[in-house]
Amino acid sequence: MKRLLRTREIWLGAAVAAIIIATELRAPGFGSLRNLMEVFNNTSILMILALGQMAVILTRSIDLSMASNLALSGMLVALTNAAYPGIPVPVLMLMATGFGLVLGAFNGALVWRLGIPAIVVTLGTLTIFRGLIFVIAGGQWVNADQMTTDFVQYTRIPVLGLPLLSWYAIAIAVGFFVMMTRTSIGRAIYAIGVNPTASVYAGIDVGRTKFLAFCISGALSGFCGYLWVSRYVIGSVEVANGYELTVVAACVIGGISIAGGVGSVAGALLGALFLGVINSALPVINISPFWQMAISGAAIIFAVVLNGRTNKSRGRLILKSAETVK
Amino acid sequence: MNDQSIAAPAGRKIPDRLDSPAKAAVFSWPSLLLAVAVGIFILNSFASPYFLSPWSLSDATFNFTEKGLIALAMALLIISGEIDLSVAAIIALASTAMGLALQFGVDTPGLVAIGVLTGVLCGMFNGFLVTRLGLPSIVVTIGTMSFFRGISYIVLGDQAFKGYPDSFDFFGQGYVFWVVSFEFAFFLVCALVYYVVLHRTNFGRQIFVIGNNPVAARFSGVRVERVKFILFCLTGLMSGLAAVALTSRLASTRPSIAFAWELEVVTIVVLGGVSILGGSGTIQGVVIAAFIMGLVTFGLGLLNVPGIVMSIFIGALLIGVIALPILISRLRQRMAK
């Protein structure tokens, strides 16, 4: 029980609950199941992205290209949908995921094969992917009237009261939990984050595991590309601009150590939910939405300070991610 | 460059004698970059007849001087093994502070002082969190990035500060001599100062030592935390100066000012040959990289390439310039076998 109280997931969950209750007191109705489901639905994409980012951060890398990957994959399926309305939406989903996977694999290959630090690679691909959106779309937007009903509905159809979008997030979270805790790949991802050198001696291919982590984050970004375009019914160059750092922020708040090897699926989900709850609580208690950015910034700083106090292992290692463990 | 120096990571061959200084200089990173810069320059002058005029070249410098100013300090910070992603947000906050002071009738000298001071304070805040509390700088500055810019949004919302005094225009629009803008001249002076600090002083030496091995640095009597704290303050200072220049050039302040510049600044630094892992890099490289960025964006601009497409070139340049030497040395190794 004492150990349980010390885990940050509990505290984070309590913080999320506290914000919900405090908001409910100021604005009754915020805590209703209906509204909370709405908040959850609004945060689904961030949760999925945070999981992908978690896999990468655990391996002592970082993927700054997620938002650009999302926007590019989203634009691709939006254009495909506009040009060939006959293609069924599940095929488009697969297409977005597959395309995102390829982009992620490109990142991963550069990190794995050439040993370039992940932060540099993804900084580069962040701008490249973003630029490619403009090229493939010719600078055009894809608007609501160009998308088929199915394309838009596949994130909205309610199943057991929850929209499909939320179910995707739940399914991916469950899948991720199983992968991270019950499979050898999940074990390997944690292991190389904790101690790359020891992992090599344990027979884990460090480079290949990082590559796989990037493939995972890429595939999830691609899938979210479809979700985003369908959810907000817009495909443009500006989609999710700057969102990569929000995703990292969700992970940091969720207690995933930037030094690698420390973090849990529940943490990533709660970190995302924390940001999501704040974002939806501010307007209902009549705080200008312009406060949002400063508050999430303060939350990140607070979370990092808290992190630094609980586990005193100084997490400065992100810049050392390319340790020569060949 | 011979095979021995390239094969260093693989085998542990120690050459009998080092390359001659001249040979080392020719094959150094800055020289490679200089060749790239000259190449882009020549391509540009062929591609557009408007490129080779003193005034358009002078205009080209505005593309990178503000980012270059920050890149100088960022280079030192990255060499020491830290990073500051909040620089663009510091610009926003410093610019907002100046705009706010303007509403109270503060005149030019006061505005500059406030802008610079805000920058330094932000840098101190980052430095405090990183060095006193021992937190990872990449996450801290992601947090302060939202925080600083967030304050600008709280103050300004969707409004803008305008109506800066005429004498304030000089910093971003003034010329000191013929086509040499104040900004550009200031950038060159700063580059010189940073060159001396990094490559010719004890303090600069300490930065390299810290970047290579902070523990060893501490044992050799380097005050690691203090040096890092100073570097964060310097980065804040340069962001404040950049804020003055940019605000003066745009003659207005919006909370979205300099959005996403942090990544471009880091790109300049990395392109300039500073190892993102810390411990190595030169100011010459960073200055040339700043020129390259300016030339590429300006040249493509003359060819009517939209800004978003330019980012493809810049991203590809970043990855390409780093990947190419690795690929070439691999190829050489394979050939040697």
Short mmCIF file of all heavy atoms in Angstrom, two decimals, chain A residues 9-36:
data_model
loop_
_atom_site.label_atom_id
_atom_site.label_comp_id
_atom_site.label_asym_id
_atom_site.label_seq_id
_atom_site.Cartn_x
_atom_site.Cartn_y
_atom_site.Cartn_z
N GLU A 9 1.72 7.56 -10.75
CA GLU A 9 0.45 7.42 -11.47
C GLU A 9 -0.72 7.73 -10.56
O GLU A 9 -1.69 8.37 -10.96
CB GLU A 9 0.30 6.02 -12.07
CG GLU A 9 1.15 5.76 -13.31
CD GLU A 9 2.59 5.44 -12.97
OE1 GLU A 9 2.87 5.21 -11.77
OE2 GLU A 9 3.43 5.43 -13.88
N ILE A 10 -0.62 7.25 -9.28
CA ILE A 10 -1.70 7.49 -8.33
C ILE A 10 -1.87 8.99 -8.11
O ILE A 10 -2.96 9.54 -8.16
CB ILE A 10 -1.39 6.81 -6.98
CG1 ILE A 10 -1.22 5.30 -7.17
CG2 ILE A 10 -2.48 7.12 -5.95
CD1 ILE A 10 -2.49 4.57 -7.49
N TRP A 11 -0.74 9.66 -7.87
CA TRP A 11 -0.79 11.10 -7.61
C TRP A 11 -1.32 11.86 -8.81
O TRP A 11 -2.09 12.81 -8.68
CB TRP A 11 0.59 11.62 -7.23
CG TRP A 11 0.96 11.19 -5.86
CD1 TRP A 11 1.89 10.24 -5.52
CD2 TRP A 11 0.39 11.64 -4.64
NE1 TRP A 11 1.92 10.09 -4.16
CE2 TRP A 11 1.02 10.93 -3.60
CE3 TRP A 11 -0.60 12.58 -4.33
CZ2 TRP A 11 0.69 11.13 -2.27
CZ3 TRP A 11 -0.93 12.78 -3.01
CH2 TRP A 11 -0.29 12.06 -1.99
N LEU A 12 -0.86 11.43 -9.99
CA LEU A 12 -1.30 12.11 -11.20
C LEU A 12 -2.80 11.91 -11.39
O LEU A 12 -3.54 12.85 -11.70
CB LEU A 12 -0.52 11.55 -12.40
CG LEU A 12 -0.59 12.37 -13.68
CD1 LEU A 12 -0.17 13.80 -13.43
CD2 LEU A 12 0.31 11.73 -14.72
N GLY A 13 -3.25 10.67 -11.15
CA GLY A 13 -4.67 10.39 -11.24
C GLY A 13 -5.45 11.25 -10.25
O GLY A 13 -6.49 11.83 -10.59
N ALA A 14 -4.89 11.39 -9.03
CA ALA A 14 -5.55 12.22 -8.02
C ALA A 14 -5.59 13.68 -8.47
O ALA A 14 -6.60 14.37 -8.29
CB ALA A 14 -4.81 12.10 -6.69
N ALA A 15 -4.50 14.13 -9.10
CA ALA A 15 -4.47 15.52 -9.58
C ALA A 15 -5.54 15.75 -10.63
O ALA A 15 -6.26 16.75 -10.61
CB ALA A 15 -3.09 15.85 -10.14
N VAL A 16 -5.64 14.77 -11.56
CA VAL A 16 -6.67 14.89 -12.61
C VAL A 16 -8.05 14.95 -11.96
O VAL A 16 -8.89 15.80 -12.29
CB VAL A 16 -6.55 13.73 -13.60
CG1 VAL A 16 -7.73 13.75 -14.58
CG2 VAL A 16 -5.24 13.79 -14.36
N ALA A 17 -8.28 14.04 -11.00
CA ALA A 17 -9.58 13.99 -10.32
C ALA A 17 -9.84 15.31 -9.59
O ALA A 17 -10.95 15.85 -9.62
CB ALA A 17 -9.61 12.83 -9.33
N ALA A 18 -8.79 15.85 -8.94
CA ALA A 18 -8.95 17.10 -8.20
C ALA A 18 -9.36 18.24 -9.11
O ALA A 18 -10.24 19.04 -8.78
CB ALA A 18 -7.65 17.45 -7.48
N ILE A 19 -8.73 18.29 -10.29
CA ILE A 19 -9.08 19.36 -11.23
C ILE A 19 -10.53 19.22 -11.65
O ILE A 19 -11.29 20.19 -11.72
CB ILE A 19 -8.17 19.32 -12.47
CG1 ILE A 19 -6.71 19.57 -12.07
CG2 ILE A 19 -8.60 20.37 -13.49
CD1 ILE A 19 -5.74 19.35 -13.21
N ILE A 20 -10.94 17.95 -11.91
CA ILE A 20 -12.32 17.71 -12.34
C ILE A 20 -13.28 18.17 -11.24
O ILE A 20 -14.26 18.88 -11.51
CB ILE A 20 -12.53 16.23 -12.68
CG1 ILE A 20 -11.73 15.86 -13.93
CG2 ILE A 20 -14.02 15.95 -12.91
CD1 ILE A 20 -11.72 14.40 -14.25
N ILE A 21 -12.98 17.79 -9.99
CA ILE A 21 -13.88 18.14 -8.88
C ILE A 21 -13.92 19.65 -8.68
O ILE A 21 -14.98 20.25 -8.54
CB ILE A 21 -13.43 17.42 -7.58
CG1 ILE A 21 -13.66 15.91 -7.73
CG2 ILE A 21 -14.20 17.96 -6.37
CD1 ILE A 21 -13.00 15.08 -6.67
N ALA A 22 -12.73 20.28 -8.71
CA ALA A 22 -12.68 21.74 -8.52
C ALA A 22 -13.48 22.45 -9.61
O ALA A 22 -14.21 23.41 -9.33
CB ALA A 22 -11.23 22.21 -8.54
N THR A 23 -13.35 21.96 -10.83
CA THR A 23 -14.09 22.59 -11.92
C THR A 23 -15.59 22.37 -11.75
O THR A 23 -16.40 23.26 -12.00
CB THR A 23 -13.63 22.03 -13.28
OG1 THR A 23 -12.21 21.96 -13.28
CG2 THR A 23 -14.10 22.90 -14.41
N GLU A 24 -15.94 21.15 -11.31
CA GLU A 24 -17.35 20.81 -11.08
C GLU A 24 -17.97 21.78 -10.06
O GLU A 24 -19.11 22.21 -10.19
CB GLU A 24 -17.45 19.37 -10.59
CG GLU A 24 -18.78 18.95 -10.00
CD GLU A 24 -19.85 18.75 -11.07
OE1 GLU A 24 -19.47 18.54 -12.23
OE2 GLU A 24 -21.04 18.83 -10.73
N LEU A 25 -17.19 22.14 -9.03
CA LEU A 25 -17.70 23.05 -8.01
C LEU A 25 -17.98 24.44 -8.59
O LEU A 25 -18.95 25.09 -8.23
CB LEU A 25 -16.70 23.17 -6.85
CG LEU A 25 -16.53 21.89 -6.01
CD1 LEU A 25 -15.48 22.10 -4.93
CD2 LEU A 25 -17.86 21.47 -5.40
N ARG A 26 -17.10 24.88 -9.47
CA ARG A 26 -17.28 26.19 -10.09
C ARG A 26 -18.34 26.15 -11.18
O ARG A 26 -19.12 27.10 -11.34
CB ARG A 26 -15.95 26.68 -10.69
CG ARG A 26 -14.96 27.21 -9.70
CD ARG A 26 -15.30 28.63 -9.22
NE ARG A 26 -15.36 29.61 -10.29
CZ ARG A 26 -14.29 30.24 -10.75
NH1 ARG A 26 -13.10 30.00 -10.25
NH2 ARG A 26 -14.41 31.14 -11.71
N ALA A 27 -18.32 25.08 -11.95
CA ALA A 27 -19.24 24.98 -13.09
C ALA A 27 -19.91 23.61 -13.07
O ALA A 27 -19.40 22.67 -13.68
CB ALA A 27 -18.48 25.19 -14.40
N PRO A 28 -21.04 23.48 -12.36
CA PRO A 28 -21.70 22.18 -12.25
C PRO A 28 -22.00 21.60 -13.62
O PRO A 28 -22.37 22.32 -14.54
CB PRO A 28 -22.99 22.52 -11.50
CG PRO A 28 -22.70 23.78 -10.78
CD PRO A 28 -21.72 24.54 -11.61
N GLY A 29 -21.81 20.30 -13.73
CA GLY A 29 -22.04 19.65 -15.03
C GLY A 29 -20.74 19.21 -15.67
O GLY A 29 -20.71 18.32 -16.50
N PHE A 30 -19.62 19.82 -15.25
CA PHE A 30 -18.33 19.45 -15.85
C PHE A 30 -17.99 18.01 -15.49
O PHE A 30 -17.43 17.28 -16.29
CB PHE A 30 -17.23 20.38 -15.37
CG PHE A 30 -15.91 20.12 -16.04
CD1 PHE A 30 -15.66 20.59 -17.31
CD2 PHE A 30 -14.92 19.38 -15.40
CE1 PHE A 30 -14.46 20.34 -17.94
CE2 PHE A 30 -13.71 19.13 -16.02
CZ PHE A 30 -13.49 19.61 -17.30
N GLY A 31 -18.36 17.61 -14.26
CA GLY A 31 -18.01 16.27 -13.80
C GLY A 31 -18.98 15.20 -14.25
O GLY A 31 -18.82 14.04 -13.88
N SER A 32 -20.00 15.59 -15.02
CA SER A 32 -20.96 14.58 -15.45
C SER A 32 -20.29 13.57 -16.38
O SER A 32 -19.34 13.90 -17.08
CB SER A 32 -22.13 15.24 -16.17
OG SER A 32 -21.68 15.75 -17.41
N LEU A 33 -20.82 12.35 -16.35
CA LEU A 33 -20.22 11.27 -17.14
C LEU A 33 -20.16 11.67 -18.61
O LEU A 33 -19.18 11.46 -19.30
CB LEU A 33 -21.04 9.99 -16.95
CG LEU A 33 -20.41 8.74 -17.56
CD1 LEU A 33 -19.09 8.43 -16.86
CD2 LEU A 33 -21.35 7.57 -17.47
N ARG A 34 -21.26 12.28 -19.07
CA ARG A 34 -21.37 12.68 -20.46
C ARG A 34 -20.21 13.60 -20.85
O ARG A 34 -19.55 13.42 -21.87
CB ARG A 34 -22.69 13.43 -20.63
CG ARG A 34 -23.44 13.12 -21.86
CD ARG A 34 -24.63 14.06 -21.92
NE ARG A 34 -24.46 14.94 -23.04
CZ ARG A 34 -25.14 14.77 -24.17
NH1 ARG A 34 -26.01 13.80 -24.28
NH2 ARG A 34 -24.96 15.58 -25.20
N ASN A 35 -19.99 14.61 -20.00
CA ASN A 35 -18.95 15.58 -20.31
C ASN A 35 -17.56 14.95 -20.21
O ASN A 35 -16.68 15.23 -21.03
CB ASN A 35 -19.06 16.78 -19.36
CG ASN A 35 -18.10 17.88 -19.77
OD1 ASN A 35 -18.14 18.35 -20.90
ND2 ASN A 35 -17.21 18.24 -18.87
N LEU A 36 -17.39 14.09 -19.20
CA LEU A 36 -16.07 13.46 -19.05
C LEU A 36 -15.76 12.58 -20.25
O LEU A 36 -14.61 12.50 -20.70
CB LEU A 36 -16.02 12.64 -17.75
CG LEU A 36 -16.01 13.47 -16.47
CD1 LEU A 36 -15.89 12.57 -15.25
CD2 LEU A 36 -14.86 14.48 -16.49
#
